[in-house]
Amino acid sequence: MGALTEKTAEQTTDAALRAGASGGRLDGRTALVTGGSRGIGRGIAERLGRDGARVGVHYGSNEAAAKETVAAIERAGGSAFAIGAELGVPGDAAALWEAFDAHADGLDILVNNAGIGTSRPFADAEESEFDRLFAVNTKAPFFIARLGAERMRDGGRIINISSGLARAAVMPEILTYAMTKGALDVFTQNLSKVLGPRGITVNSVAPGIVDTDVNAAWLRGEENKEAWAGAAAISALGRVGTPQDIADAVAFLASEDGRWVTGHWLDATGGSLS
């Protein structure tokens, strides 16, 4: 079977949106999604909102995008609020939770999604870039989770957004980025043991290539018309991933259905690593 066309992939996503709505199963719960204003983060925030959670939509700099995500959740009948905090700087986690506390009195679901997505090749790597990548992709989630655990009710959920590159050296030109996600996975496994006695599950979800605005330049750019087909061919399912694909995997782990899964790395690459 040949690769699905871009149009077919979008139709598949529309069907998933209709089928994936299961409002109510997260009623009464409060979630925070870092980097929730765009791309995968927005998809996750909207899905958790449809499932009944009240969603904190974090943004680093694009307040307008965060407000639009909040508005989309509210239009669908959900509840949400936007909070801004720059990550990768001293005191970032404390600032984020101070903003969160102004809107909510507790936490049930934390999704560490915010991250920087590229890095230079090994021969060109600079110390400042290395430090910045680890500050945003690894250090920030660590301390956001540490302070978040103080606010999280027993039986809560922590879901870290990793990457297929943490398990396969298919893009060695951005190895520093892959390293940050590998460290995040080690954190996930160990934190599951630390918080397990409280009934809190901790898992990683690893996307592959996903059609987001961050990837739009090379996936849809006129200068590289074959990029979409090449990206689709990497997946065993013959298409490029969507934010909804990742959001649905996160929603499972956030729900009661995922109660017996912890310390796990969930491959959400569409079979790109097989």
Side-chain angles (χ1 to χ4, degrees), residues 117-122 133 165 171-179:
T118 59
S119 63
R120 300 185 207 182
F122 176 70
L133 281 161
L165 298 181
M171 293 184 180
E173 65 273 15
I174 56 172
L175 66 86
T176 307
Y177 168 77
M179 288 172 63

Side-chain angles (χ1 to χ4, degrees), residues 184-209:
L184 189 65
D185 292 340
V186 172
F187 172 56
T188 297
Q189 288 183 305
N190 284 273
L191 189 61
S192 70
K193 297 294 183 70
V194 173
L195 298 181
R198 292 179 53 195
I200 296 172
T201 67
V202 187
N203 293 285
S204 293
V205 172
I209 299 174

Side-chain angles (χ1 to χ4, degrees), residues 8 31 48 65 111 115 139 151 154 162 183 196 218 225 232 235 246 274:
T8 303
L48 297 181
V111 183
K139 182 179 179 181
R151 294 160 170 82
D154 290 354
S162 178
W218 70 274
K225 293 183 179 180
S235 166
I246 311 306
S274 58

Side-chain angles (χ1 to χ4, degrees), residues 1-182:
M1 181 180 295
L4 295 179
T5 66
E6 181 178 332
K7 181 177 180 181
T8 303
E10 290 172 350
Q11 290 172 341
T12 301
T13 301
D14 289 341
L17 281 166
R18 292 191 298 270
S22 52
R25 68 178 182 173
L26 296 180
D27 281 354
R29 300 186 189 183
T30 301
L32 172 64
V33 181
T34 67
S37 64
R38 299 163 54 197
I40 291 173
R42 175 168 177 164
I44 293 169
E46 291 186 358
R47 173 59 200 263
L48 297 181
R50 289 202 309 275
D51 284 359
R54 182 167 184 249
V55 185
V57 178
H58 160 262
Y59 66 93
S61 59
N62 195 336
E63 182 179 8
K67 288 184 175 179
E68 171 53 33
T69 301
V70 169
I73 292 171
E74 291 176 342
R75 285 195 300 269
S79 175
F81 55 92
I83 55 173
E86 181 184 359
L87 302 185
V89 298
D92 53 1
L96 183 150
W97 287 116
E98 181 179 0
F100 176 89
D101 290 342
H103 296 272
D105 59 2
L107 178 71
D108 301 285
I109 301 162
L110 169 63
V111 183
N112 278 311
N113 166 76
I116 300 173
T118 59
S119 63
R120 300 185 207 182
F122 176 70
D124 300 324
E126 296 182 354
E127 190 171 348
S128 59
E129 180 188 66
F130 184 99
D131 291 344
R132 175 67 176 164
L133 281 161
F134 271 89
V136 176
N137 293 2
T138 309
K139 182 179 179 181
F142 180 100
F143 285 100
I144 289 171
R146 190 184 77 74
L147 296 180
E150 298 173 0
R151 294 160 170 82
M152 182 167 282
R153 289 177 271 268
D154 290 354
R157 305 281 191 265
I158 297 177
I159 301 154
N160 298 318
I161 303 304
S162 178
S163 169
L165 298 181
R167 301 291 177 97
V170 294
M171 293 184 180
E173 65 273 15
I174 56 172
L175 66 86
T176 307
Y177 168 77
M179 288 172 63
T180 67
K181 295 301 186 176

Side-chain angles (χ1 to χ4, degrees), residues 193-271:
K193 297 294 183 70
V194 173
L195 298 181
R198 292 179 53 195
I200 296 172
T201 67
V202 187
N203 293 285
S204 293
V205 172
I209 299 174
V210 179
D211 183 19
T212 66
D213 57 344
V214 173
N215 290 329
W218 70 274
L219 273 179
R220 298 179 178 272
E222 286 297 321
E223 71 283 357
N224 190 5
K225 293 183 179 180
E226 297 180 354
W228 185 278
I234 293 173
S235 166
L237 300 174
R239 67 174 177 86
V240 175
T242 69
Q244 187 64 33
D245 293 326
I246 311 306
D248 289 349
V250 170
F252 161 70
L253 293 171
S255 74
E256 182 64 17
D257 293 343
R259 64 190 175 279
W260 200 237
V261 181
T262 194
H264 181 64
W265 188 84
L266 196 161
D267 181 340
T269 68

